[in-house]
Structures are given as structure tokens and as C-alpha cells.
Amino acid sequence: MLNRNLVNLSTETAFSVLDKASKLQKSGKTIINLGIGQPDFSTPEHIVEAGVRALRDGAHGYSPSLGIIPLREAVNEDLSERYGFCPPISRIQITPGGKPIIFIAAMIYGGKGNEIILPNPSFPIYESAVAYSGAKPIFYKLRESKGFSFDADEILSKITNRTTLIMLNTPHNPTGGVTPPSEIKKLTEGLAEYPNITVFSDEIYDRLVFDTPPHSLLCYPEIRDRLIILNGWSKTYAMTGWRVGFGIWPESTIEFADKLGINYHSCVNTAAQYAALTATTGEQTCVENMRIAFRRRARLITKNLNKIRGIECQMPGGAFYAFPNISKLDISSEILQAQLLEEYGVAALAGTAFGTYGEGFIRFSSANSDILIQEACDKLEQLCHNYM
Ligand code: PLP
């Protein structure tokens, strides 16, 4: 008999679409990949050099389970400088990518009988990890009419005496929505009545915002001692394959996060941590250049999608996704995803890959060249003709 909770575990469609797209490519088909959420830029040279240098200098062994001290100090200094506050390094854990922080949080705050409040649509691992832990996922809807920002009152209305954790993600995957500080403030003030509830803020796209300054839940003193932050180097520095991320935990649970980390992965690839250190402490023009490129592409993709009859797309506030509404077409998101890939050679993801409220939407990653983004939109337009 296998673990009964395995039936609750789901997956990330982005990886199966990537797999399928690679197979089609190998069979000779030309594919435009707007499916997977990773920058199409290479890791900046000075960061690669730091990783190589670390290997040459002998960074071959295990390192401390919570991460090398200089990297945790660099995270602390960077966040303190950018957001005016960061908890001490004793609360910072370096992990293989930001993703493990989701699973670890679900293991600590989940379990049978507990409820965890999370966005829908959202990064699919939230629901998967929460359900696997045995806790009940309670969804709040992100609405197109609100620019896919969360609604503080709606979140507060979902709280019961079983709620242990509230999950937030802004800038948001898959919609590119950015929640305004006024809504965050409303939520943190409302949470004063619920001192035992922890807030989980996934800020992996915090520096990829287009027209507003970067923002963090760290800016709200009222919840600082019951806040989990997820962030990392994958998106900001084009380092998805290096697998370095971090979590900041409440004083009361860092011990468990560390134990779970030791059980799962011991420590993070040591040379990759040195590369991340250089990324954080080195020059930041690479981050700004990528941000500007993503903003230009976000405008391009939104403009092109809005030209297509039957499609409406909001300009994303951040991250590198567009989440057009396709509900006027006579086709489901999943069938559109399949046809777009198999018949038109464009990899994109059905909105339902991110939850039930994703029906009627499709996610395009704008992590591709302007020309190919344009071409992908043209192909989508051809497909749409069949369903209007
Ligand atoms: N959180 C969100 C919202 C994401 O979109 C992703 C990756 O796509 C992650 C976390 C995980 O990032 P990493 O690759 O650093 O594990």
C-alpha cells in the first residue's frame, strides 16, 4: 500500500508541455515556446564566472544546511536595503530553487484538519503541496476585473478556526497581476484579529515589475514575526537551472524548515550558492536590462493579442506572463492548448493548468524574442478564426 496522500499530488503542466514541445521539435517540427516560465536570457557572465571559480577553488563539499553564511548575509543586506527591513540570518534558509519553500511550508502548516487559503488561478504547486499534506485548500479567486489583484476582504472572509496559513503571490504567476499596496495593507490590518495565522508571500518576481516600484510583505511591521517569504535567483538573474532560492521563516518554525531541508536535500549545491552571492552583491544592470526587455515584450504581446477577434488581454503589471481571456471563443482552454501546440507549433498553457478559475484563459510566457512572440500571436489568430 502506497501513501494515501499520493492521490492528492498533482504536477506542473509547464513541464509536460515542455516535454511534448521538445519531442515535436526532435521530430522536425518548428515550435515557438511560450510555455515554460523561464527567462530566455543566459545567466550573466560574471555570475557564471563566480560559479566556475568556486568549483576551481574547491567548493565541492557539503555546506551548512541553511546555506553559506555570506549568502544569507547578502540576502539580509539586500532586502534590508530595498525594503527597509529583513529578519536576522537565523531565519533565512537557502534552498534548491524557491519551490521547496512551498512544500516545506505545506508540511509545517498543513496536515489533516487544517485549512490553507490560496489563490486560484495560481502556481499549481501550491494546491498540490497543500493537498498532499492532508490540509484542505481554500481558494480565493483572482479576478480579471481587478487586474488579477487579490481582494483582501475576500481572503479575510475565508478564514475559519482551522486556517493556519494564507498564501499570496504578487507579481503573480500565471496572470502577471500585481496587487496594490493598499490592498495588502487592508489584509495585514485585517489579520490583526487572527494572530495565529501565518502569511506566506511568494515574491519570486518582486524585481520584475513594470510600472510600479518593487514591493514586499516585509514592509508591514504588523505581520513581520509571522511571515514566510519565498524568493530566489531563478527569475531575477536568469538562473532557473542553478537551483538556488531562499525562504525566510518565522522564528517559531525555522527549526522545522531546516529539519525538513536536511531530510530532503541536505544543503544546496555549494558552487551555485557562490554564484548567487555574486549575483546579489555584484552589479545589477543585468537585472534592469532584463526587466526592460520583459516590459517591452509584455506590451508587444498584449497589443498583438488584443488585435485578435475574440481575445482580450490585460497589460500585466509584472512577471513575464500574459493571461488573455479566450472565453468568447467556442473552445476550452485545454483543447486550445493542445491544438495550438500540435497544429500551430506554439507552446502555451491552458489557464486550467493553474486551477479551475483559469478556465477561459491561456498563459503565454513572454520569455521569447519579439519576432517569435509576434509569430505566435499570428498563429493564434489563425486558430481563433475556427472558433468565432
Ligand atoms: N513561485 C512561483 C510563483 C513561480 O512561478 C515559480 C517558478 O515558476 C516558483 C515559485 C519556483 O521557482 P524556482 O525555479 O526558483 O524553484
Side-chain angles (χ1 to χ4, degrees):
M1 180 80 151
L2 299 180
N3 184 336
R4 287 175 208 278
N5 286 353
L6 285 169
V7 295
N8 298 326
L9 203 58
S10 51
T11 181
E12 211 184 323
T13 313
F15 283 100
S16 43
V17 169
L18 182 67
D19 229 34
K20 216 172 196 172
S22 309
K23 281 189 188 129
L24 285 168
Q25 245 160 348
K26 275 197 189 122
S27 74
K29 201 164 166 125
T30 307
I31 302 290
I32 302 174
N33 199 339
L34 303 186
I36 194 95
Q38 70 174 335
D40 54 320
F41 301 103
S42 299
T43 306
E45 197 49 40
H46 67 287
I47 301 174
V48 174
E49 271 312 308
V52 172
R53 199 168 50 243
L55 284 172
R56 292 228 166 87
D57 288 350
H60 302 170
Y62 292 124
S63 45
S65 58
L66 284 176
I68 57 170
I69 301 273
L71 184 57
R72 291 158 68 208
E73 282 173 348
V75 167
N76 176 284
E77 275 169 35
D78 173 50
L79 293 176
S80 303
E81 197 178 303
R82 290 193 297 115
Y83 297 125
F85 172 78
C86 181
I89 69 160
S90 56
R91 285 171 57 184
I92 300 176
Q93 176 186 33
I94 309 295
T95 42
K99 205 183 222 176
I101 302 300
I102 301 169
F103 212 83
I104 295 173
M107 291 303 117
I108 297 174
Y109 293 88
K112 202 158 187 269
N114 289 345
E115 291 178 358
I116 294 183
I117 299 178
L118 60 141
N120 188 329
S122 71
F123 188 49
I125 302 307
Y126 300 165
E127 180 180 351
S128 174
V130 167
Y132 180 74
S133 81
K136 188 167 172 198
I138 306 288
F139 299 111
Y140 60 90
K141 190 170 178 176
L142 296 180
R143 292 182 176 80
E144 190 184 23
S145 57
K146 283 202 75 174
F148 297 111
S149 150
F150 67 68
D151 179 321
D153 288 330
E154 182 177 349
I155 295 180
L156 292 166
S157 75
K158 306 268 175 192
I159 292 175
T160 70
N161 56 10
R162 293 171 175 245
T163 308
T164 54
L165 191 69
I166 295 174
M167 302 182 86
L168 311 172
N169 171 219
T170 173
H172 179 251
N173 177 9
T175 65
V178 172
T179 298
S182 55
E183 205 63 34
I184 301 176
K185 182 85 191 144
K186 202 169 172 191
L187 178 69
T188 56
E189 283 175 359
L191 285 173
E193 269 185 55
Y194 307 99
N196 296 326
I197 295 179
T198 300
V199 177
F200 175 104
S201 180
D202 181 341
E203 303 184 357
I204 197 105
Y205 299 101
D206 71 328
R207 295 181 70 183
L208 270 170
V209 277
F210 303 142
D211 300 309
T212 49
H215 197 63
S216 169
L217 268 282
L218 286 169
C219 301
Y220 300 83
E222 57 272 34
I223 54 152
R224 277 175 186 163
D225 56 352
R226 48 180 169 129
L227 178 62
I228 302 166
I229 297 280
L230 178 162
N231 207 327
W233 289 264
S234 299
K235 318 285 179 175
T236 312
Y237 297 96
M239 291 178 70
T240 50
W242 292 75
R243 309 311 298 138
V244 214
F246 68 86
I248 304 180
W249 297 94
E251 191 73 59
S252 53
T253 50
I254 178 76
E255 173 197 346
F256 304 114
D258 189 24
K259 278 188 185 158
L260 283 162
I262 291 170
N263 275 268
Y264 287 135
H265 57 257
S266 298
C267 63
V268 174
N269 176 324
T270 309
Q273 292 190 65
Y274 281 102
L277 176 60
T278 293
T280 301
T281 55
E283 59 88 17
Q284 302 295 302
T285 27
C286 52
V287 178
E288 183 57 8
N289 290 343
M290 286 191 265
R291 187 186 74 83
I292 288 169
F294 284 128
R295 185 177 58 186
R296 192 191 63 246
R297 292 172 183 175
R299 288 184 177 147
L300 176 76
I301 198 165
T302 309
K303 191 172 109 208
N304 282 304
L305 288 169
N306 281 319
K307 281 188 197 154
I308 304 174
R309 225 176 114 233
I311 299 234
E312 276 163 34
C313 185
Q314 299 227 347
M315 172 65 195
F320 35 71
Y321 307 109
F323 203 59
N325 186 326
I326 58 148
S327 60
K328 286 196 181 134
L329 303 175
D330 189 18
I331 184 173
S332 74
S333 304
E334 267 172 44
I335 296 179
L336 194 145
Q337 172 192 299
Q339 284 200 1
L340 204 52
L341 179 60
E342 282 153 30
E343 295 170 30
Y344 295 83
V346 177
L349 296 180
T352 44
F354 304 92
T356 45
Y357 294 138
E359 184 53 89
F361 293 88
I362 187 145
R363 189 193 81 173
F364 286 101
S365 156
S366 50
N368 213 323
S369 69
D370 295 18
I371 288 182
L372 290 178
I373 287 175
Q374 172 79 57
E375 208 177 301
C377 291
D378 292 346
K379 291 185 178 223
L380 176 67
E381 185 166 19
Q382 289 165 28
L383 183 154
C384 289
H385 279 314
N386 307 330
Y387 295 99
M388 271 308 285

